[in-house]
Amino acid sequence: MDRHSDVRLTPGARRILDAASTLFYRRGINAVGVDLIAAESGVTKRTLYDRFGSKDALVAEYLAERHRQWWAKWEQRLENAPPPRALTVFDSYQADAPLTERGCAFLNAAAELPDTHPGYEIVRHHKQQIRERLTRLIAEDGAAGDPAQLAEHVFLLLEGAVAHRGLDGSAERLTRARALAEKLLTTR
């Protein structure tokens, strides 16, 4: 995943990635073909293939870009957050509600991709990084209990709330999950 961190996109490649990102999230990866992506981005299929090589590579870049953007926003929230800072992960999803109205883009992608797809590893890496970061934040903030176990509980609350947002459209579960996580992290 880190190999994608310095990607410099031409204006045409940026249009392709932006169009593909919207289409993949709204309609599903397997439901979107390169013809539609090319048409929506205003480029030819040849340009799409010249810039990304394959639809699989474009899917992987979509997921890597989504990770970079989401992670940067989370980092901003963490800068001045009071303890327990792990709760900012819920705030990140709540603030980005339009980006999660169909649930988690990473879980959606994982449901569609075989585990051998290059994008699947990006999904796994994204989720692992969240769990690891939550563990560090919980340990640094001095919550009572095992930081790894608490982080796993917080992570599962988050994942369940975001997944159900995709099912029922309600952001209320995120609010309730955050409240439950706060109880876990502040109970002594």
Side-chain angles (χ1 to χ4, degrees), residues 4-182:
H4 296 283
S5 62
D6 293 325
V7 171
R8 303 273 187 250
L9 298 174
T10 65
R14 172 51 60 193
R15 284 195 315 275
I16 293 165
L17 183 57
D18 290 347
S21 295
T22 299
L23 291 166
F24 290 154
Y25 184 70
R26 297 242 179 252
R27 297 185 185 184
I29 292 169
N30 293 327
V32 174
V34 292
D35 290 323
L36 180 59
I37 296 167
E40 289 288 317
S41 59
V43 303
T44 64
K45 279 182 15 181
R46 180 182 174 114
T47 299
L48 186 149
Y49 285 116
D50 284 347
R51 299 302 180 269
F52 292 95
S54 67
K55 181 182 172 187
D56 286 346
L58 178 56
V59 168
E61 187 54 39
Y62 150 66
L63 292 166
E65 176 76 2
R66 192 155 180 125
H67 168 78
R68 284 190 296 272
Q69 290 175 355
W70 186 88
W71 200 268
K73 288 178 185 178
W74 191 21
E75 288 294 332
Q76 288 174 343
R77 277 196 179 74
L78 284 167
E79 282 180 17
N80 298 312
R85 293 175 298 157
L87 297 176
T88 60
V89 73
F90 294 94
D91 302 336
S92 292
Y93 277 98
Q94 195 78 297
D96 295 333
L99 296 176
T100 60
E101 65 190 17
R102 295 189 46 82
C104 176
F106 296 97
L107 291 179
N108 294 348
E112 290 192 67
L113 301 175
D115 62 2
T116 57
H117 190 282
Y120 197 87
E121 184 57 35
I122 293 168
V123 171
R124 290 172 51 140
H125 182 77
H126 172 76
K127 297 300 184 180
Q128 183 62 35
Q129 278 196 304
I130 292 171
R131 281 193 304 273
E132 288 172 3
R133 186 64 190 268
L134 287 171
T135 301
R136 284 193 311 273
L137 290 170
I138 291 167
E140 290 168 6
D141 288 346
D146 176 28
Q149 186 178 43
L150 286 169
E152 187 66 15
H153 289 299
V154 169
F155 179 75
L156 292 173
L157 284 167
L158 173 72
E159 290 293 302
V162 174
H164 275 274
R165 174 152 169 71
L167 294 173
D168 61 24
S170 172
E172 182 60 28
R173 277 198 177 79
L174 270 172
T175 303
R176 290 195 308 263
R178 187 189 192 283
L180 287 169
E182 187 169 17

